[in-house]
Amino acid sequence: MEQFARLVPPGYQPQPKQSEFIREPGWFRAHHPEAADLLNHAVNGRRPWPLFVVGDVGSGKTRLGLVLLDMFGGLYYTRKLWVERVNDAQFRRLQSKAGFTLSPGEVRLEWSRASLTVMDELGTTSKVTDFAREEVQLCLDARFGKPAVYISNMDLATIGTLYDDRVASRLSGGTILHLTGDYRTETL
């Protein structure tokens, strides 16, 4: 699979022990064997995309997304950072590395063309604006049938209430991974 440079949130720096986990897919299989099998089927085209990863804080959801990005390349955004990026493009405050102003369409095209996309923190707020809901739905539509991972602490029913049933329906059309446990304090 063609490799693309990974975009990570501004200021993101893996902690020393976490970076070793991020590069070690075996960690995921050891802690989530059933989910690892579902993930393997999705990566190999035997399960539908998108991959909706839901679970408790510290269960390894973001770590899983970062492992996939390390393996395949692609784009990573939190929902909040993605909405801010499109908003900046709408108000002509976003520029490419070459200094050209980017439009919202160009930003969304970048999302649709990436080898893999990961949108984290879908459920970190109790209220979603219409603009944020529309952007999440556009992201889901742009990645239909393509490798995409959406991560949340909230289940589909809660996502449906927070965003709307169309967003929940699109997420449920793919593969759903439920992760449990808290591995934040685990050491190597």
Side-chain angles (χ1 to χ4, degrees):
M1 180 176 272
E2 186 175 344
Q3 297 292 312
F4 287 83
R6 178 172 97 212
L7 296 178
V8 295
Y12 171 80
Q13 291 293 321
Q15 296 173 3
K17 291 187 183 231
Q18 286 179 330
S19 65
E20 293 173 35
F21 280 128
I22 290 169
R23 289 179 179 76
E24 181 48 55
W27 178 92
F28 187 72
R29 178 162 292 287
H31 290 81
H32 302 290
E34 302 85 14
D37 290 337
L38 280 176
L39 176 62
N40 184 40
H41 290 305
V43 168
N44 290 304
R46 295 188 300 263
R47 296 286 302 210
W49 294 98
L51 180 62
F52 179 56
V53 184
V54 62
D56 301 326
V57 172
S59 61
K61 300 178 305 294
T62 299
R63 185 178 290 171
L64 168 63
L66 294 174
V67 165
L68 290 171
L69 287 170
D70 280 349
M71 293 169 66
F72 301 108
L75 298 176
Y76 173 94
Y77 285 95
T78 63
R79 184 214 36 98
K80 181 181 178 190
L81 288 176
W82 176 257
V83 170
E84 288 174 1
R85 182 172 173 81
V86 175
N87 188 54
D88 284 346
Q90 228 174 2
F91 288 99
R92 305 183 59 75
R93 296 184 300 239
L94 188 64
Q95 293 188 340
S96 69
K97 291 178 183 177
F100 298 105
T101 301
L102 295 173
S103 71
E106 290 167 319
V107 171
R108 291 181 190 115
L109 187 61
E110 175 187 38
W111 179 267
S112 70
R113 288 183 174 172
S115 56
L116 170 72
T117 58
V118 176
M119 184 174 289
D120 201 352
E121 299 180 2
L122 280 180
T124 57
T125 184
S126 60
K127 190 173 185 179
V128 173
T129 65
D130 288 342
F131 182 72
R133 180 192 50 75
E134 290 169 11
E135 282 306 316
V136 169
Q137 187 173 332
L138 285 170
C139 286
L140 284 158
D141 290 345
R143 299 301 300 182
F144 180 78
K146 298 176 184 176
V149 179
Y150 298 89
I151 300 170
S152 178
N153 296 340
M154 297 179 178
D155 62 17
L156 279 174
T158 308
I159 291 289
T161 302
L162 183 62
Y163 290 87
D164 69 17
D165 289 336
R166 292 173 295 176
V167 169
S169 174
R170 284 164 174 79
L171 290 170
S172 69
T175 301
I176 301 172
L177 293 179
H178 295 274
L179 303 184
T180 58
D182 187 344
Y183 303 102
R184 291 175 291 180
T185 59
E186 185 175 293
T187 59
L188 291 174

